[in-house]
Amino acid sequence: MNEPLYRDPAAPVEARVHDLLARMTLREKVGQVNQRMYGWDAYRRTADGSYELTDALYAETERFAGLGALYGLQRADAWSGVAYGNGPGAEEAAELAESVQRHVVERSRLGVPALFVEEVPHGLMALDGTVLPVNLAVGATWDPELYERAAAHAAAELRARGGHVALVSALDIARDPRWGRTEECFGEDPHLAARLTEALVRGMQGGPGEYFAADKAPVVLKHFAGQGATVGGRNSAESELGWRELHEIHLPAARAGVRAGAAAVMAAYNEVDGMPCSGNRALLTELLRETWEFDGLVMADGLAVDRLARITGDKVLAGALALNSGVDLSLWDEGFTHLQEAVERGLVKESVLDAAVARVLRLKFRLGLFDRGQGAPPPPAPTGGAEISRELARAAVTLLDNKGVLPIPDTVTRVAVLGPQAATTTHQLGDYTAPQPPGTGASVLDGLRRLAPPGVDIRHARGCSLTGADLSGIPAAVAAAAASDLAVLVLGGSSARTPDTEFDANGAALNAVSEMTCGEGVDLAELRLGPAQYRLLDAVVATGTPTAVVLIQGRPHVVPDTAGALLTAWYPGPWGGEAVAEVLLGRAEPGGRLPLSVPRSAAQLPVYYNHKDTEYGGYVDESAEPRYSFGHGLSYTDFAYGTPRVCDGTVTVDVTNTGTRYGRTVVQVYLRRLITSSWPRTLELCAFEGVGLAPGERRTVALSLGEARTGSAEIRVAESARAALRAVPVVVDLRS
């Protein structure tokens, strides 16, 4: 008896999809577009340390005679309750995944395997997974090539453990830093986000091809679209977005990801013009599929389909609305489980369901899931995760202010390392992070003790907690600072979740516990640190000891400019403290640049640089300008920029290191449109490139303007958005 066509590895993917789809019952089709289970409910650890599958998994595979996709089989955190002791580490994960897959295939009449979908927000969110700096730190590197390498490592880790599909935040643009998920954004600018999204897709998926390599993973880009613009910076709130604002600010990263070949996107929670994204046909079908010609998968965010029942009246109609609008795969919803009824009632055409099922099956064939025999070994786990995490962290450290305090001079022999962030790695990790083995990583204190020259006395006092107003530790910190030549004061916030965190059904925090000040569900009305941190800062500065402040944070916090130097490290990962120490000591240059503007207070918001070019004044009681603008970052050396030249859509400029140290500058090209069909923005970033130069070295840098070539405009080249406003413009007609 001949094998069916869909079993033939030599047959084209489309032919195999068509053949398999034609053999499926309506019930089996509905099963392929459902992703109902939390993966950690599919297994339990037994007394002998092995794993057994659960009745919950048996019931789910029985319900639809198989399983379309399974979310979070590897996920470990406070919400899932998975930690060392009850969850799979790197050595066990692939075997567990194989066991689950074997069960799914056996329960499927046609032998259809499941997609294993995992969170990879900044590294694989699993026990023993490499934790990378958060996206905001990636944005601060302004280095797509470096991020591409880090993304490739994360994909290889995922595949080595038996996972298939990576969920990665990339599309949210940080327009209001009160939003707790600001740390998941690449920044406030669409061009920067687009370049990094392209790098993410290239790194994780590799080059275009019919099949994915064994160490590459299809990526689901989150979230489509406009979620970074919710009112008041409140998670999942409404967004007041016009179509033009959506296209100019919130869609370029998604467009870049689609062009780079992204396998999937995730519909966001927010609404656009009154319609939630998961039910927004204009967004998911008319724009994404028809205009952009995207042929990949659209996944709903967790429980988002069921939220549509607020519009439709019940969950059957909610599922029908989502499918008709362009959603292919649900996440934990009930609505998609009723799609057979929806088809039988005429609410959905079976051809629409078939199209969604085909996209799910296509991804499974492209991953080779039908062709790898049971028990086939996964690809080897990659090495060097700690080093790539360190490299990203080092590149992201940003020097905001320096009154001659840094790098730490050779004459300094006594350093006081103070503050609630100084001796901990827990608060360096960001949200969506798995538990770490004891001893993983390095704090700022660890880094300085290891890297400081022999004979330097490093003393430590915590001073205060991240939150609250307990001042009892401040006297000890003040004494340490007064007895030292330099104080390093490490302040900031935390997205660390604990078992006593109360979670919403989709994993967002419902209450901010302990020292949690950021993360999903932790939105702020103000951008202030815990009150004790300001008292500690004032007291240490008052000693007269030169003070360098280091902020470890997931969003910009408001800090007075009273210290001698100010560094920021956006949740730099486990080894971020070492990266900060290298910059403090001058062993590494502060190469980071701000991916978003830092306000003076929350009352100013919004302060993003690329606002509309209108003539409005400041406030009576406060400046309207940010404290530090988008693109800002100081070096330990100085750079001189020549007059830019524009020819055939390319900007060239001479850059010279005029200082005495090696350094890296980021050449930023901004455009100010003069004649347009709609009201223009003050500035728009349209190209950038990092340039490392030795003392006295000069280099001519050429940057393409790409798709910015429309209309008459001023071209400005500078080291930040604020500097660009002061730079002498070159007026060009980009249409020529």
Side-chain angles (χ1 to χ4, degrees), residues 131-150:
V131 178
L132 302 172
V134 297
N135 276 6
L136 204 56
V138 172
T141 70
W142 292 61
D143 192 338
E145 289 73 23
L146 174 58
Y147 183 47
E148 183 175 336
R149 289 196 286 116

Side-chain angles (χ1 to χ4, degrees), residues 419-420 461-478 489 491 514-515 529-537 539:
R462 187 166 189 256
C464 68
S465 62
L466 281 173
T467 56
D470 182 7
L471 309 178
S472 60
I474 291 182
V478 168
L489 184 54
L491 308 174
S514 183
E515 296 177 322
L529 300 169
Q533 294 195 60
Y534 292 105
R535 295 291 295 273
L536 177 62
L537 171 61

